[in-house]
Each structure stands twice: as C-alpha cells, then as structure tokens.
Amino acid sequence: MADDSAAATPPSIDGNTLVAKSLSHLGVTHMFGVVGIPVTSLATRAMALGIRFIAFHNEQSAGYAASAYGYLTGKPGILLTVSGPGCVHGLAGLSNAWANTWPMVMISGSCDQRDAGRGDFQELDQIEAVKAFSKLSEKAKDVREIPNCVSRVLNRAGSGRPGGCYLDLPSDVLRQRIVESEGDELVAKVESFSDHVPQARASLKSEIESAVTLLRKAERPLIVFGKGAAYSRAEDELKKLVELTGIPFLPTPMGKGLLPDTHELSATAARSLAIGKCDVALVVGARLNWLLHFGEAPKWSKDVSFVLVDVSEEEIELRKPRLGIVGDAKTVVGLLNREIKDDPFCLGKTNPWVEAISKKARENGEKMELQLAKDVVPFNFLTPMRIIRDAILAVEGPSPVVVSEGANTMDVGRSVLVQREPRTRLDAGTWGTMGVGLGYCIAAAVACPDRLVVAVEGDSGFGFSAMEVETLVRYNLPVVVIVFNNGGVYGGDRRSPEEISGPHKEDPAPTSFVPNAGYHKLIEAFGGKGYIVETPDELRSALSESFAARKPAVVNVIIDPFAGAESGRLQHKN
C-alpha cells in the first residue's frame, strides 16, 4: 500500500523564490546586478516570474543603472549584489541615488547569521556600511519577514524625497523553506508601491497666494526648474505657467527638455544675466547647491527673493528662502496656474526684462553658432558636437535620450546639444559623478525602449565602465556610444617643463592615456559595430549609419589633445 504521507506534504518554496514573488507582486519589472553566491538563484527565480534581469560586469555600473532607472520611470530601480565586496561596489549606485534623490533599492546577500562575527566568506556588517546613503535599511532575519521587508524598502525609496534603501538577505534566510501557500498569503498582504504624492497642507493655499503675489509684483521674475520637476512629470504644468505669465525660464542641466531649449522664453543662453539680475526666482524641483551657486551673490543679486518649491521640508529649512512651499512640483505648479488663472497677468514680449533676456540669448546664440560653423580639423570639441547635435535633431520619432559625461565633453554638450523632450538628458548630476555613462545608457534603453540612446562621453569617463559595451551587445540595446578621444583626462600631457622632473619623469603624465586608442575595437570584440572618425564627413557617415541601425555601436572620435581645458569649462560661456 502506498504511503499517503509523502503525497500529502504541501509544496514549499525557499527564500529566493519568496523574494522574487514579493518583488513581482509589488510591480517590479526590471532588476540590475551581478550575480554570485548567495543570490544567483534569486535572479533566476525573478526571471522565471517575468522580471527582466540585466546582468552587468561590475556592480558600480549596475548601481548607476538602477539609480537612473528610478529617475526615468518614477519607480525604484533594483540593484542585486553579492555580499561583502559586491555590496561595497554597489554603494556607488546607492550613493548616486542619495545624491540625486532618485528612488532605488539595493538588495545584497550576506553571510549566514550564525557565522556573523566569525570571519565568514565575504562577511561585512552591511547594514552599517550602507548607513550614510540609505533612507531605510532592513534585514530579513527569517524567511517569513521577507515580503514585509521588501515592501517597506520599496515604499520608503519613493516616499517624500526619493532616495536609496537597502535590503539585507542572509544566505541562511534565502535557503529557508516555507509552505508555498503560506508564502503567497504573506505576499498578498503587503502594501504595493504608490506614487507617494504628499497630501496638501492647511497652509498651502496661503503659500500659493503669496507666491503668485511675489511673481505678479516682480519686475524681473525668473522660473528655474530642475530634475526634481522632471521626476515629478511637471512639464505640462510648467509649460502652462511660463506661457500664462510670460516669465523667462532657466533649466538646470537635467531639467533641460521639460520645455524645449528652443522655446522663445528660454534663458539658458543668457544664464548670467538671468540669475544676476532677477529680483524674484521661483525655483521648482532644484536645489540651491553648487549647480545654482548656492543662491548667493555675486552670481545672484544680493536682493533676489527666492520662492522654493521642494518635496523636502528639510531642504527649504536649509536654504531659508523668502517663501518655501513643501510639495510635489507637479501639484504645486498646477495650483499656481489655477491661482493665476483667476487673476491673470503676463509680461509680454515687449516687457523690458523679457526683451533683455531675449536679446542676450540671441547674441550669445549667434556667437556660439559662429564658432560652431567652423569645421576645425584636427577636431576641437565644438565641430564634432555640432555634427552630433544635428544628427540627433534629425532623428524621427521620439527624441533620443542623451547621456553625457566627461569634463570638456559634458560642458560643451550642455551648451550645444538641444533637448526637446523631458527626461532625455542624463549627465554626471548633483555629485558630478564620472563613470555613470554605460550604466545610464543601459537604464535608458530598458526604461525607454522606443527611444534611441546616444552617449556623448569623454575618453576618461568612458573608461570607467567601458567593459559594459559587452552588456549592450548581449542584450542588443539601441545604444550608440560616442567617445571624444583626446588622449587623457582633459587631454594629453599638460605639464610644464618644470613639472617634468624627478626619478619617474619618463612615466606618462597623470592625465595621459595611450594616444589615439582604438576604443571602437572594444565593442567589435563582442560583435558590435565600431567606427573611428577624424573628419566631419566620416563622423556624419558613422552617425547616420549607427543611428539608423539602432544597434550597439561605439564611435571613436579623435580629438586634438590640446583642445580642452583642465577646468572642463571652455571659453564660450554666456
């Protein structure tokens, strides 16, 4: 007679499967990471449940991808790492999410709990290690705690001011088993991720009225918006505000595209005049940090009145503006529009302030175009950047996502490349982080599958994550990486004769790389397409072919090694 006890044993699942089920239930569709002991099974179980796992060579790049994915989608990007050094490498991405206030969750395996403190394989107090960059850190100490831990970190990452959170999964918990039906019940009970738009406060109405009064009475008002407004999807509300009031606007680098750079009220090409002379500045989703000169003289007028709109009360308390409004950018700007609509005002094209901004922007734009019109060979930075700009603008359909990093390359690109749509520019961001390029490219290709992704990279920036071109090929992502190859950091050997001394004077300069390096051959080794270009016609041909193909490619642009500047700021500022 058969033994019915075995048949009656209910099916069970382990911790890996329960994590995957929890993520899937909570709406996670993509993960980025590097697998190994003890998280390989977690990745494969997640894939089996429909989550796309993008496997990288390095946790830093995977972390940068997860952080940018959070920004582009509004949902926390997920990074999966192994324990110890994998977690430490992943801190690059977690800290990037912290600095840029983007939602992200880093999930790391860790050693068996019973072996903690005994020198176990890759042992590290990871909760302590991530503390500086994590809004919330959770450790699942039993398999039954997994669904709630997953839910808490996902929800906290996107609540209030977005940022990074951390989930620690000991290897013994990942091996623990639980009856599948019990696991499913635990998963079903957890709270799903929401958009976390803050509730309106009682004081908000009076603050909106005060803000509108300040703008109405201002002689030289300015609207400044940043990537916080982009994250909030505030583009329609900002467009309406600008066109209702006729007030000039200035985007931060990653705020570009919320309104087209070509808009007649854009003050980007008249930045110094705009911030130096405005008397009231409405700052939406942008922090008064180094990128905006801390809101202080001499860049800003000492008498300027700031109206700050930020999701973080702490940010407003830190900056001490004339008026602070705590709230979601999209919501607050919508309320400003409603208030203005009841008693409208508009500066008009003949307003002296608007005319001054327009005149200065036009003059600076004409000066820039005169420089750009010259075909300089060997290439400087401006000639290839103009050709790249024109090729990007010629792309039909949704605008490409532009990823930009480097010193000279990023600075020139910010001035030359034109953004027409929201969230189509990713750069080094608040921290000025080098090495984000390929991770950002992969995140953009995954998050925005209908868009071409074009990276415009310095050779130094490219070098941080260059091996991820294999990842581009493996997943056949529509990414074209353009490398400005000037032989080093800022350029080649910039030392004076007096500096070339000492016992190691024959060594290359600290800024030098191998001249004319064949970066394009790296992607060819994996089956991608590589181009090396030294003339305008060669560059146009390479861009035309690679953009049309929408397949992984590297375009190696040889630049005069003496064309750049150490500061990364060339002499074409407005």
Side-chain angles (χ1 to χ4, degrees), residues 310-385:
D310 199 284
V311 75
S312 168
E313 186 173 359
E314 290 80 7
E315 178 67 23
I316 288 172
E317 290 174 351
L318 172 66
R319 307 301 175 184
K320 296 179 173 57
R322 169 77 176 271
L323 174 64
I325 304 177
V326 179
D328 169 70
K330 181 181 179 74
T331 301
V332 171
V333 177
L335 293 172
L336 290 172
N337 288 333
R338 191 182 308 170
E339 181 71 19
I340 292 167
K341 187 178 180 182
D342 292 339
D343 187 9
F345 68 94
C346 186
L347 298 188
K349 293 181 180 179
T350 59
N351 176 277
W353 173 238
V354 174
E355 284 190 328
I357 293 289
S358 298
K359 181 173 181 289
K360 190 66 174 176
R362 186 169 56 253
E363 290 172 353
N364 286 336
E366 289 170 354
K367 289 177 185 176
M368 173 65 80
E369 288 303 319
L370 281 174
Q371 293 186 65
L372 289 170
K374 304 169 187 173
D375 276 347
V376 178
V377 180
F379 277 147
N380 60 9
F381 282 84
L382 293 173
T383 297
M385 200 67 77

Side-chain angles (χ1 to χ4, degrees), residues 235-249:
E235 52 267 21
D236 291 342
E237 288 76 11
L238 283 167
K239 181 175 186 289
K240 186 175 181 180
L241 177 63
V242 166
E243 295 181 353
L244 271 175
T245 63
I247 296 175
F249 67 88

Side-chain angles (χ1 to χ4, degrees), residues 229-274:
Y231 176 80
S232 177
R233 271 58 179 172
E235 52 267 21
D236 291 342
E237 288 76 11
L238 283 167
K239 181 175 186 289
K240 186 175 181 180
L241 177 63
V242 166
E243 295 181 353
L244 271 175
T245 63
I247 296 175
F249 67 88
L250 178 69
T252 65
M254 283 182 59
K256 283 163 64 72
L258 281 170
L259 274 72
D261 287 345
T262 52
H263 194 288
E264 61 182 354
L265 288 170
S266 172
T268 298
R271 187 178 191 272
S272 297
L273 173 65

Side-chain angles (χ1 to χ4, degrees), residues 180-426:
E180 185 170 17
S181 59
E182 181 185 355
D184 289 343
E185 288 177 11
L186 291 171
V187 169
K189 291 177 182 177
V190 298
E191 178 186 355
S192 296
F193 170 77
S194 66
D195 290 336
H196 299 288
V197 176
Q199 296 297 310
R201 294 164 293 104
S203 61
L204 186 58
K205 187 176 188 303
S206 64
E207 292 167 355
I208 295 294
E209 292 171 352
S210 297
V212 171
T213 298
L214 281 169
L215 291 172
R216 189 188 306 277
K217 292 182 177 179
E219 293 183 8
R220 298 178 302 281
L222 180 68
I223 299 171
V224 180
F225 47 80
K227 63 178 178 287
Y231 176 80
S232 177
R233 271 58 179 172
E235 52 267 21
D236 291 342
E237 288 76 11
L238 283 167
K239 181 175 186 289
K240 186 175 181 180
L241 177 63
V242 166
E243 295 181 353
L244 271 175
T245 63
I247 296 175
F249 67 88
L250 178 69
T252 65
M254 283 182 59
K256 283 163 64 72
L258 281 170
L259 274 72
D261 287 345
T262 52
H263 194 288
E264 61 182 354
L265 288 170
S266 172
T268 298
R271 187 178 191 272
S272 297
L273 173 65
I275 69 174
K277 297 295 184 182
C278 70
D279 57 356
V280 173
L282 171 65
V283 182
V284 182
R287 288 173 279 177
L288 292 177
N289 55 21
W290 68 277
L291 286 164
L292 289 173
H293 313 289
F294 306 104
E296 296 174 348
K299 295 291 187 180
W300 294 82
S301 166
K302 61 183 177 61
D303 299 320
V304 64
S305 293
F306 285 106
V307 179
L308 295 192
V309 178
D310 199 284
V311 75
S312 168
E313 186 173 359
E314 290 80 7
E315 178 67 23
I316 288 172
E317 290 174 351
L318 172 66
R319 307 301 175 184
K320 296 179 173 57
R322 169 77 176 271
L323 174 64
I325 304 177
V326 179
D328 169 70
K330 181 181 179 74
T331 301
V332 171
V333 177
L335 293 172
L336 290 172
N337 288 333
R338 191 182 308 170
E339 181 71 19
I340 292 167
K341 187 178 180 182
D342 292 339
D343 187 9
F345 68 94
C346 186
L347 298 188
K349 293 181 180 179
T350 59
N351 176 277
W353 173 238
V354 174
E355 284 190 328
I357 293 289
S358 298
K359 181 173 181 289
K360 190 66 174 176
R362 186 169 56 253
E363 290 172 353
N364 286 336
E366 289 170 354
K367 289 177 185 176
M368 173 65 80
E369 288 303 319
L370 281 174
Q371 293 186 65
L372 289 170
K374 304 169 187 173
D375 276 347
V376 178
V377 180
F379 277 147
N380 60 9
F381 282 84
L382 293 173
T383 297
M385 200 67 77
R386 181 202 77 223
I387 296 169
I388 293 166
R389 176 196 67 184
D390 294 346
I392 290 173
L393 290 174
V395 173
E396 296 181 357
S399 293
V401 176
V402 174
V403 176
S404 182
E405 71 172 327
N408 297 297
T409 307
M410 186 170 66
D411 284 342
V412 176
R414 184 170 58 245
S415 299
V416 176
L417 302 179
V418 176
Q419 309 303 139
R420 296 179 295 182
E421 295 181 26
R423 294 167 295 282
T424 55
R425 177 182 169 84
L426 297 169

Side-chain angles (χ1 to χ4, degrees), residues 411-452:
D411 284 342
V412 176
R414 184 170 58 245
S415 299
V416 176
L417 302 179
V418 176
Q419 309 303 139
R420 296 179 295 182
E421 295 181 26
R423 294 167 295 282
T424 55
R425 177 182 169 84
L426 297 169
D427 63 24
T430 302
W431 247 9
T433 308
M434 292 296 104
V436 297
L438 270 293
Y440 281 9
C441 286
I442 293 165
V446 167
C448 313
D450 58 333
R451 296 182 188 270
L452 175 68

